Amino acid sequence: MENERINIAIVDDHPIVIEGLKTMLNSHPSFNIPETFTSGSEIIAFMDSKKIDIILLDITLPDANGTELCREIKKISPDTSVIMFSNRSERSIIMQSIQNGASGYILKNTSIDELVICIKGALLGDIVFCNETKQIIRKPSQNDLPIPRLTKREKQILQLVAQGKTSNKIAEELFLSPLTVDTHRKNLLQKFQAKNSTELVNQAIEYNLIEK
């Protein structure tokens, strides 16, 4: 067992991050990087035929939200440990990742030594965090609610609200009545427990549901 190499997949849409991680991790005698990926669909397709022990997974990918992708990966391969590796430091995203099955959350400014320790801990079944992430999750948060689950229509309306469009304008674009749009907006405010549209949009950005 000790001589077995640990297969680690890197999923990140920034080539410079991938190359840096590959160089650092390949220098470790126990680690093997069989492949790297820049999208969620690529890692899912790869997992159909290959065994991966650890996945270092970014939150923001061109075709997927990392927290949701983590849940999908764990369904396909429950034995694979997924460690989120991101610049996003919001407590809500960290906690949602763990709820979705992640074995840990590491910020990209962590040291290689700390990263190696976290990888080894995840392989032993531990939930691992870098030191900075530990400090973040210890702090009380005003918003520890799970990321709201939205319907396809709610996601469309949320994106248009973020663009500053009125209910009438949204109704025109989506071929709905203004009353229906207003109902969706009220439901969104309730799901996010937001007081107004500005707070709603800010929370949606924090949850990585819409782009800034």
Side-chain angles (χ1 to χ4, degrees):
M1 284 289 290
E2 291 223 2
N3 292 326
E4 287 185 13
R5 301 193 75 191
I6 299 160
N7 286 327
I8 302 174
I10 302 168
V11 187
D12 196 292
D13 62 341
H14 293 90
I16 193 168
V17 173
I18 288 177
E19 289 307 313
L21 275 175
K22 275 181 65 178
T23 299
M24 291 187 292
L25 293 176
N26 274 329
S27 66
H28 195 285
S30 300
F31 297 158
N32 177 50
I33 317 295
E35 193 61 80
T36 61
F37 309 90
T38 58
S39 70
S41 57
E42 289 176 353
I43 183 64
I44 293 297
F46 184 81
M47 292 183 71
D48 286 339
S49 58
K50 302 289 183 181
K51 177 182 179 294
I52 303 175
D53 301 302
I54 294 279
I55 296 177
L56 296 178
L57 177 62
D58 194 7
I59 290 288
T60 307
L61 297 168
D63 65 342
N65 178 307
T67 57
E68 295 301 319
L69 182 60
C70 175
R71 194 205 319 258
E72 188 174 349
I73 288 170
K74 294 299 288 186
K75 285 180 181 178
I76 296 170
S77 180
D79 293 334
T80 298
S81 296
V82 180
I83 300 176
M84 311 309 293
F85 188 71
S86 175
N87 285 324
R88 303 295 299 271
S89 59
E90 296 91 337
R91 191 176 191 273
S92 55
I93 294 177
I94 296 169
M95 301 311 294
Q96 185 67 33
S97 298
I98 302 304
Q99 289 174 15
N100 284 4
S103 294
Y105 200 106
I106 300 173
L107 297 179
K108 288 183 177 179
N109 61 358
T110 192
S111 68
I112 182 61
D113 291 338
E114 193 170 20
L115 176 57
V116 169
I117 290 170
C118 287
I119 289 173
K120 290 181 175 180
L123 287 168
L124 294 174
D126 297 336
I127 302 296
V128 297
F129 302 103
C130 64
N131 288 331
E132 189 172 341
T133 307
K134 289 177 184 176
Q135 293 173 9
I136 292 168
I137 62 177
R138 285 191 190 117
K139 293 177 182 177
S141 173
Q142 294 180 340
N143 187 13
D144 280 340
L145 296 173
I147 296 176
R149 291 187 175 277
L150 305 181
T151 65
K152 183 177 180 181
R153 181 66 78 192
E154 285 172 340
K155 289 178 181 178
Q156 289 176 322
I157 290 174
L158 179 59
Q159 190 66 56
L160 293 172
V161 170
Q163 294 171 13
K165 295 183 178 178
T166 64
S167 292
N168 286 338
K169 186 63 178 175
I170 293 172
E172 287 178 20
E173 290 195 25
L174 299 181
F175 303 102
L176 300 171
S177 72
L179 180 60
T180 299
V181 173
D182 281 337
T183 300
H184 281 300
R185 292 182 73 143
K186 287 177 183 176
N187 289 339
L188 284 167
L189 289 171
Q190 186 175 16
K191 283 187 176 184
F192 284 86
Q193 296 192 9
K195 297 175 184 176
N196 50 49
S197 294
T198 300
E199 191 174 313
L200 169 66
V201 171
N202 287 338
Q203 286 194 41
I205 291 171
E206 179 179 333
Y207 286 135
N208 204 30
L209 295 174
I210 57 176
E211 296 180 359
K212 294 182 181 180

